[in-house]
Protein backbone atom coordinates (compact mmCIF):
# COMPACT_ATOMS: atom_id res chain seq x y z
CA UNK A 1 0.00 0.00 0.00
CA UNK A 2 1.09 3.41 -0.81
CA UNK A 3 1.23 5.91 1.95
CA UNK A 4 -0.61 9.09 1.28
CA UNK A 5 1.73 12.01 1.34
CA UNK A 6 0.42 15.09 2.97
CA UNK A 7 1.60 18.29 1.32
CA UNK A 8 1.98 21.40 3.43
CA UNK A 9 -0.19 24.04 1.84
CA UNK A 10 -2.02 27.04 3.19
CA UNK A 11 -5.74 26.70 3.44
CA UNK A 12 -8.00 29.39 2.11
CA UNK A 13 -9.01 30.47 5.60
CA UNK A 14 -5.37 30.95 6.62
CA UNK A 15 -4.71 33.15 3.59
CA UNK A 16 -7.83 35.23 4.32
CA UNK A 17 -6.74 35.72 7.94
CA UNK A 18 -3.29 36.92 6.85
CA UNK A 19 -4.86 39.37 4.38
CA UNK A 20 -7.21 40.74 7.05
CA UNK A 21 -4.27 41.27 9.42
CA UNK A 22 -2.25 43.08 6.74
CA UNK A 23 -5.17 45.33 5.78
CA UNK A 24 -5.78 46.17 9.44
CA UNK A 25 -2.12 47.10 9.98
CA UNK A 26 -2.10 49.20 6.80
CA UNK A 27 -5.25 51.07 7.88
CA UNK A 28 -3.54 51.99 11.14
CA UNK A 29 -0.12 52.88 9.70
CA UNK A 30 -1.22 54.87 6.63
CA UNK A 31 -2.80 57.84 8.48
CA UNK A 32 0.20 58.03 10.80
CA UNK A 33 2.56 58.09 7.81
CA UNK A 34 0.50 60.70 5.95
CA UNK A 35 0.48 62.94 9.05
CA UNK A 36 4.26 62.62 9.25
CA UNK A 37 4.66 63.55 5.57
CA UNK A 38 2.31 66.52 5.99
CA UNK A 39 4.26 67.85 8.98
CA UNK A 40 7.55 67.34 7.13
CA UNK A 41 6.29 69.34 4.12
CA UNK A 42 5.11 72.19 6.35
CA UNK A 43 8.49 72.28 8.12
CA UNK A 44 10.36 72.26 4.81
CA UNK A 45 8.24 75.13 3.47
CA UNK A 46 8.89 77.20 6.61
CA UNK A 47 12.63 76.60 6.27
CA UNK A 48 12.65 77.53 2.59
CA UNK A 49 10.60 80.69 3.21
CA UNK A 50 13.12 81.73 5.88
CA UNK A 51 16.02 80.97 3.52
CA UNK A 52 14.45 83.09 0.78
CA UNK A 53 13.77 85.95 3.24
CA UNK A 54 17.40 85.87 4.40
CA UNK A 55 18.59 85.98 0.79
CA UNK A 56 16.27 88.93 0.08
CA UNK A 57 17.65 90.79 3.10
CA UNK A 58 21.20 90.10 1.89
CA UNK A 59 20.28 91.53 -1.50
CA UNK A 60 18.79 94.60 0.20
CA UNK A 61 21.97 95.13 2.24
CA UNK A 62 24.13 95.23 -0.90
CA UNK A 63 21.79 97.01 -3.30
CA UNK A 64 19.86 99.35 -0.95
CA UNK A 65 16.50 98.10 -2.24
CA UNK A 66 14.57 94.86 -2.40
CA UNK A 67 14.52 92.64 -5.49
CA UNK A 68 12.05 93.65 -8.17
CA UNK A 69 8.79 91.74 -7.80
CA UNK A 70 8.48 91.37 -11.57
CA UNK A 71 11.73 89.36 -11.74
CA UNK A 72 10.21 86.67 -9.47
CA UNK A 73 13.32 86.41 -7.25
CA UNK A 74 15.69 85.76 -10.17
CA UNK A 75 17.62 88.77 -8.81
CA UNK A 76 18.85 86.46 -6.05
CA UNK A 77 20.70 84.12 -8.42
CA UNK A 78 21.63 86.37 -11.34
CA UNK A 79 22.28 90.05 -11.88
CA UNK A 80 19.12 90.62 -13.92
CA UNK A 81 19.26 94.43 -13.70
CA UNK A 82 23.06 94.51 -14.16
CA UNK A 83 23.64 96.42 -10.90
CA UNK A 84 27.21 97.38 -10.05
CA UNK A 85 26.50 96.77 -6.35
CA UNK A 86 25.23 93.21 -6.92
CA UNK A 87 27.44 90.75 -4.96
CA UNK A 88 25.43 87.60 -5.47
CA UNK A 89 24.37 85.02 -6.00
CA UNK A 90 22.42 85.33 -2.78
CA UNK A 91 20.95 81.89 -3.27
CA UNK A 92 22.73 78.83 -4.65
CA UNK A 93 21.21 76.90 -7.54
CA UNK A 94 17.77 77.91 -8.68
CA UNK A 95 14.72 79.39 -6.99
CA UNK A 96 13.15 76.44 -5.15
CA UNK A 97 9.55 75.38 -5.45
CA UNK A 98 7.60 74.70 -2.28
CA UNK A 99 7.30 71.07 -1.12
CA UNK A 100 4.03 70.70 -3.04
CA UNK A 101 5.63 71.80 -6.34
CA UNK A 102 4.21 75.34 -6.43
CA UNK A 103 6.25 78.50 -6.93
CA UNK A 104 6.72 80.74 -3.91
CA UNK A 105 4.89 84.05 -4.16
CA UNK A 106 7.06 87.15 -3.71
CA UNK A 107 5.35 90.44 -2.91
CA UNK A 108 7.18 93.75 -2.72
CA UNK A 109 5.81 95.57 -0.84
CA UNK A 110 4.25 92.83 1.26
CA UNK A 111 0.92 92.65 3.02
CA UNK A 112 0.22 94.78 6.13
CA UNK A 113 2.81 97.48 5.25
CA UNK A 114 5.71 95.03 5.34
CA UNK A 115 8.66 95.75 3.03
CA UNK A 116 8.35 92.34 1.31
CA UNK A 117 6.76 88.95 1.80
CA UNK A 118 7.47 85.41 0.62
CA UNK A 119 4.46 83.10 0.72
CA UNK A 120 3.69 79.44 0.10
CA UNK A 121 -0.02 78.83 -0.33
CA UNK A 122 0.31 75.28 1.03
CA UNK A 123 -0.71 71.97 -0.47
CA UNK A 124 -3.74 73.31 -2.34
CA UNK A 125 -1.77 76.20 -3.91
CA UNK A 126 -4.58 78.62 -3.10
CA UNK A 127 -4.71 81.51 -0.68
CA UNK A 128 -6.13 80.67 2.76
CA UNK A 129 -6.81 77.25 4.15
CA UNK A 130 -6.08 75.20 7.25
CA UNK A 131 -3.63 72.48 8.16
CA UNK A 132 -1.51 71.44 5.19
CA UNK A 133 -3.43 73.94 3.00
CA UNK A 134 -2.60 76.92 5.25
CA UNK A 135 -0.50 79.78 3.92
CA UNK A 136 3.09 80.00 5.15
CA UNK A 137 4.54 83.51 5.16
CA UNK A 138 7.98 84.92 5.81
CA UNK A 139 6.41 87.01 8.59
CA UNK A 140 4.78 84.12 10.50
Amino acid sequence: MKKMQRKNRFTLIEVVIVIVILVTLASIATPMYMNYVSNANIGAAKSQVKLLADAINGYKTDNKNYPDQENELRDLIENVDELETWKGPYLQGSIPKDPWGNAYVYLCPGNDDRPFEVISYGADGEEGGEGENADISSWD
Side-chain angles (χ1 to χ4, degrees), residues 11 15-16 25-26 29 31 36 38 55 60-62 67 69-70 78 80 85 89-90 97 99 105 130 132:
T11 64
V15 171
V16 169
L25 289 174
Y36 172 78
S38 174
K60 164 86 162 69
T61 300
D62 291 343
Q69 181 174 327
E70 292 179 14
E78 60 184 275
V80 176
T85 56
Y90 301 92
K97 300 241 184 232
V105 176
E130 294 180 8
E132 194 177 26

Side-chain angles (χ1 to χ4, degrees), residues 74-129:
R74 286 189 330 235
D75 292 327
L76 299 177
I77 56 173
E78 60 184 275
N79 193 357
V80 176
D81 296 324
E82 298 181 11
L83 301 172
E84 291 181 20
T85 56
W86 194 84
K87 296 178 184 161
Y90 301 92
L91 192 64
Q92 296 298 323
S94 60
I95 305 300
K97 300 241 184 232
D98 71 12
W100 302 280
N102 303 314
Y104 285 100
V105 176
Y106 172 61
L107 303 175
C108 186
N111 295 320
D112 301 323
D113 296 324
R114 296 183 172 127
F116 72 90
E117 191 165 9
V118 179
I119 305 168
S120 167
Y121 286 139
D124 63 357
E126 296 178 10
E127 193 171 350

Side-chain angles (χ1 to χ4, degrees), residues 19-89:
I19 291 173
V20 167
I21 291 170
L22 291 175
V23 167
T24 302
L25 289 174
S27 68
I28 293 169
T30 301
M32 294 169 71
Y33 173 75
M34 295 309 291
N35 188 39
Y36 172 78
V37 169
S38 174
N39 289 337
N41 285 340
I42 292 168
K46 287 179 179 180
S47 294
Q48 286 180 335
V49 163
K50 182 177 178 352
L51 175 76
L52 289 169
D54 289 346
I56 290 167
N57 284 320
Y59 179 95
K60 164 86 162 69
T61 300
D62 291 343
N63 301 295
K64 309 297 184 238
N65 61 353
Y66 291 101
D68 188 356
Q69 181 174 327
E70 292 179 14
N71 292 335
E72 298 175 343
L73 297 175
R74 286 189 330 235
D75 292 327
L76 299 177
I77 56 173
E78 60 184 275
N79 193 357
V80 176
D81 296 324
E82 298 181 11
L83 301 172
E84 291 181 20
T85 56
W86 194 84
K87 296 178 184 161

